[in-house]
Amino acid sequence: MLQVKGVYKTFNKGTVNEKRALNGVDLTLSEGDFVTIIGGNGAGKSTLLNSICGVFPVDKGSITIDGTDVTKLPEHKRAKYLGRVFQDPMMGTAADMWIEENMSLAYRRGKRRGLKWAITGKERSQYRYMLSQLGLGLENRLSSKVGLLSGGQRQALTLLMAVMQKPKLLLLDEHTAALDPKTAETVLNLSDKFIAEGKLTAMMITHNMKDAITHGNRLIMMHEGRIIYNVSGEEKKKLTVDDLLKKFADLSGEEFANDRALLN
Amino acid sequence: MLSFFASMPGAVAQGIIWGIMAIGVYLTFRILDVADLTVDGSMATGGATMVVCMMSGMNAGVAMLIAFAAGCAAGFVTGIFHTKFGIPAILAGILTQLILYSVNLRIMSQSANLPLSVDKYQLLLSLRNLPQAIVVASVFAAVIIALLYWFFGTEMGHSLRATGCNQNMAKANGINTDTNKIIGLVLSNGIVALSGSLLSQYQGFADINMGRGAIVIGLAAVIIGEVLLGKIFKNFALKLVAAVVGGIIYYIVITLVLRAGLNANDLKMFSALVVAVFLGIPYWKRKIAEGRTEKGDA
Ligand SMILES: Nc1ncnc2c1ncn2[C@@H]1O[C@H](COP(=O)(O)OP(=O)(O)OP(=O)(O)O)[C@@H](O)[C@H]1O
Ligand SMILES: [Mg+2]
């Protein structure tokens, strides 16, 4: 479903702030894979996801989604294949627009937008049903401005918007990091539910080692722009947080350092 | 006092014409979230094109359509500067505005002022007949608002709103934000030029300086409309109506302060200061609110 081959990315090339964020990343995901990504601050996790989305061009290498080489495609054209939830709850929705308006925008991801009416009555009842799946009472607030919602509600809505038009790949970048623990759990459970029900292929960056172990069928660890550890199946299921920390120390020669990391 | 009331219909007619211009400003300033300075030039482009088309024997309706198209072209240039040259929107607008100064002079065969007499041409409105001018300008405003209301209810209109509201979200949902910004600038300047074509008919001439400071008048109209009617006008069409009402009130106030003895040459300073204060008010409100919570937390 996803092939990342030899991807390099350096920011601010040729300046004192030069920073090599991706240093030859290779990764292949099969359909239905759900991979969690861990790594220290600045390891290149977000840069990897942003490269897949086309937020910036990569220096070298190729990215293929479901057989289509998207390396040269601009961000808005790749969106057709991708569902995204950002770390910042403000980033995934349009605050000044209503819930149903936001949903209708997401419903047309990858489609041509013409002069047809933006929301049909039939859609509206679909949206109401989808929102009821979140269990947050949003189904009765179709015409509330999204800016009025809490961070958790916005993040849950962004998640729903990312999956309502089935993506080839769902990308979650620390999408629960800005939420309080209880809300974070709700959103994480919803993510699991949507991924399982939709048989989605997904990548989730998390700073919570335990979540990285308990969710998904694969796990990768990044360090200095490289994937230094890649496990799946039974081996992954058996991992403990201590195993991961030890693995990290062995492979990188450093202590694991992430200011948001939750180690247990 | 009597002469003040006598000058009201004129203020209302001008206010509506400038209110149409303010609708154009609303599209960029409020929906796309960019301040587009092209409008100072495209207002005059509309007027100049109108006069020259009438002089060449065209019918007023056709002339206005061409004026609209000329404004659209001006917006397109700014859009290309902004999205394809990577120039910040404000600077892109200033560059086009400067280009338009030369272009407008060329349109008017290098004269700074061209007359458009209602005695010689079949015009749609003129200050000689104020009631008619008010009706015609209102009809134009109503039709433009209706068309925009429809457009912003479509898929494309929604994607334009999303572009102005949150570019990250727009791109993540497959919206081409560059194209949308260009569309918005094209539409906005087309409407502004249409307002310029109405103004040239109303006043009976086109002038190279007729759009100078237009952005300030447009912003003033938008802000006055929001301050006075924002609480009750929530619907998009009504928000556009508020901008037109803002234009009318702006001209009534201007008429008033001129009567009260303000030097006409100081008018632009007066308008700019009023706009600065009204743009500052939401900022100050926020500051004060933040100051309060900080103290409250301590
Ligand atoms: N747009 C950018 N411009 C310049 N440098 C950047 C940019 N984005 C990321 N970087 C740098 O690239 C490196 C990798 O950053 P990235 O955001 O991918 O790390 P991360 O693994 O997501 O870390 P974190 O856990 O802190 O989110 C960092 O050193 C970062 O400062
Ligand atoms: Mg990150």
Side-chain angles (χ1 to χ4, degrees):
Chain A
M1 187 54 71
L2 172 75
Q3 265 177 310
V4 177
K5 272 199 209 138
V7 167
Y8 288 79
K9 176 68 192 179
T10 302
F11 290 109
N12 306 316
K13 216 172 228 162
T15 72
V16 287
N17 293 321
E18 182 166 313
K19 175 73 207 174
R20 175 165 280 190
L22 292 181
N23 200 358
V25 172
D26 293 287
L27 178 69
T28 303
L29 298 191
S30 311
E31 188 160 359
D33 269 352
F34 176 9
V35 54
T36 57
I37 306 173
I38 55 171
N41 288 126
K45 306 178 297 289
S46 298
T47 307
L48 174 60
L49 256 54
N50 289 337
S51 299
I52 296 170
C53 300
V55 175
F56 38 67
V58 296
D59 303 338
K60 225 166 92 181
S62 72
I63 296 162
T64 309
I65 301 172
D66 197 22
T68 312
D69 185 341
V70 300
T71 319
K72 297 245 147 38
L73 281 189
E75 192 177 351
H76 70 267
K77 290 211 174 127
R78 296 190 203 188
K80 178 158 114 197
Y81 310 108
L82 303 171
R84 282 156 79 183
V85 185
F86 308 86
Q87 178 174 343
D88 180 355
M90 304 298 141
M91 235 160 115
T93 43
D96 292 339
M97 298 176 75
W98 293 352
I99 291 181
E100 63 172 28
E101 291 173 337
N102 272 273
M103 291 180 78
S104 79
L105 286 162
Y107 194 60
R108 285 162 180 75
R109 180 163 50 76
K111 304 231 160 80
R112 230 184 62 81
R113 289 164 211 268
L115 294 175
K116 277 193 295 228
W117 216 235
I119 310 174
T120 63
K122 193 171 134 243
E123 275 171 46
R124 213 166 261 136
S125 50
Q126 273 174 285
Y127 296 169
R128 203 166 278 132
Y129 172 73
M130 292 177 189
L131 286 167
S132 70
Q133 305 263 294
L134 298 179
L136 297 171
L138 295 181
E139 59 273 20
N140 301 319
R141 298 178 61 186
L142 281 179
S143 49
S144 286
K145 267 194 192 175
V146 167
L148 299 173
L149 305 185
S150 70
Q153 288 173 325
R154 273 180 88 159
Q155 210 61 331
L157 176 62
T158 309
L159 181 69
L160 177 59
M161 285 164 57
V163 300
M164 62 192 283
Q165 193 63 257
K166 185 179 176 181
K168 301 261 183 220
L169 186 61
L170 176 66
L171 301 171
L172 310 169
D173 186 352
E174 298 202 39
H175 68 309
T176 61
L179 309 175
D180 66 78
K182 201 167 156 277
T183 318
E185 200 188 316
T186 310
V187 172
L188 197 55
N189 288 339
L190 283 169
S191 312
D192 261 346
K193 179 176 124 125
F194 286 135
I195 291 169
E197 283 175 358
K199 299 193 172 60
L200 303 177
T201 312
M203 298 173 81
M204 177 172 86
I205 301 177
T206 175
H207 56 250
N208 187 321
M209 296 251 182
K210 218 170 140 197
D211 287 345
I213 295 169
T214 51
H215 297 267
N217 64 326
R218 296 179 55 182
L219 179 151
I220 60 178
M221 184 187 282
M222 289 188 72
H223 181 62
E224 291 180 344
R226 285 199 184 86
I227 296 175
I228 55 168
Y229 183 50
N230 186 342
V231 278
S232 56
E234 284 306 311
E235 195 186 343
K236 172 185 177 274
K237 275 191 202 150
K238 284 196 221 116
L239 283 172
T240 63
V241 172
D242 284 338
D243 292 340
L244 279 180
L245 289 174
K246 191 159 167 303
K247 260 289 182 276
F248 185 86
D250 287 351
L251 292 165
S252 71
E254 292 173 22
E255 286 289 302
F256 187 84
N258 185 320
D259 54 16
R260 295 190 297 281
L262 292 171
L263 301 177
N264 43 48
Chain B
M1 207 59 209
L2 217 68
S3 66
F4 170 71
F5 282 113
S7 62
M8 273 307 98
V12 171
Q14 281 197 65
I16 299 171
I17 293 170
W18 282 94
I20 291 172
M21 188 270 168
I23 292 174
V25 170
Y26 188 95
L27 295 190
T28 48
F29 187 64
R30 280 294 179 234
I31 294 182
L32 280 186
D33 197 24
V34 296
D36 173 34
L37 300 188
T38 315
V39 296
D40 282 29
S42 51
M43 185 84 186
T45 303
T49 309
M50 180 76 205
V51 175
V52 170
C53 285
M54 290 304 288
M55 284 163 64
S56 78
M58 278 179 206
N59 136 318
V62 177
M64 286 184 71
L65 255 172
I66 294 175
F68 174 78
C72 289
F76 183 75
V77 171
T78 303
I80 294 295
F81 281 168
H82 178 42
T83 60
K84 306 295 175 214
F85 289 46
I87 302 171
I90 294 214
L91 189 53
I94 292 177
L95 292 175
T96 311
Q97 193 190 111
L98 211 61
I99 293 173
L100 288 177
Y101 188 84
S102 300
V103 169
N104 293 343
L105 278 173
R106 276 195 178 273
I107 293 174
M108 300 198 287
S109 311
Q110 306 300 332
S111 55
N113 188 301
L114 282 183
L116 180 67
S117 165
V118 67
D119 300 327
K120 254 174 90 182
Y121 301 100
Q122 194 69 39
L123 303 181
L124 296 183
L125 74 172
S126 158
L127 49 72
R128 294 254 200 91
N129 185 343
L130 285 174
Q132 188 200 349
I134 290 173
V135 170
V136 171
S138 303
V139 168
F140 270 97
V143 170
I144 289 168
I145 290 172
L147 286 173
L148 288 176
Y149 183 71
W150 163 75
F151 176 72
F152 281 97
T154 66
E155 295 171 340
M156 201 189 279
H158 267 49
S159 79
L160 229 76
R161 290 175 57 201
T163 300
C165 185
N166 182 347
Q167 287 201 51
N168 282 309
M169 180 271 188
K171 284 187 203 158
N173 285 293
I175 292 167
N176 187 340
T177 50
D178 281 355
T179 304
N180 274 354
K181 285 183 201 168
I182 296 175
I183 293 174
L185 286 163
V186 163
L187 252 179
S188 163
N189 282 286
I191 292 169
V192 170
L194 198 70
S195 159
S197 72
L198 286 170
L199 185 62
S200 65
Q201 295 177 70
Y202 174 81
Q203 63 191 14
F205 64 88
D207 188 284
I208 188 70
N209 287 321
M210 67 190 268
R212 177 168 290 177
I215 181 70
V216 174
I217 300 178
L219 286 176
V222 168
I223 295 167
I224 293 171
E226 284 175 351
V227 168
L228 293 180
L229 300 166
K231 286 246 153 44
I232 37 176
F233 282 10
K234 299 281 185 204
N235 172 291
F236 177 67
L238 291 179
K239 285 181 180 174
L240 297 181
V241 171
V244 177
V245 173
I248 297 171
I249 292 172
Y250 175 86
Y251 267 92
I252 292 177
V253 172
I254 292 298
T255 312
L256 239 146
V257 294
L258 285 178
R259 296 260 158 210
L262 183 83
N263 183 331
N265 291 329
D266 292 337
L267 200 58
K268 283 203 173 12
M269 178 173 72
F270 175 79
S271 316
L273 288 176
V274 168
V275 169
V277 168
F278 275 100
L279 286 176
I281 286 174
Y283 175 76
W284 296 325
K285 269 192 186 160
R286 230 182 8 257
K287 279 262 151 189
I288 292 167
E290 277 167 16
R292 261 197 214 119
T293 47
E294 264 162 40
K295 266 180 216 148
D297 288 345

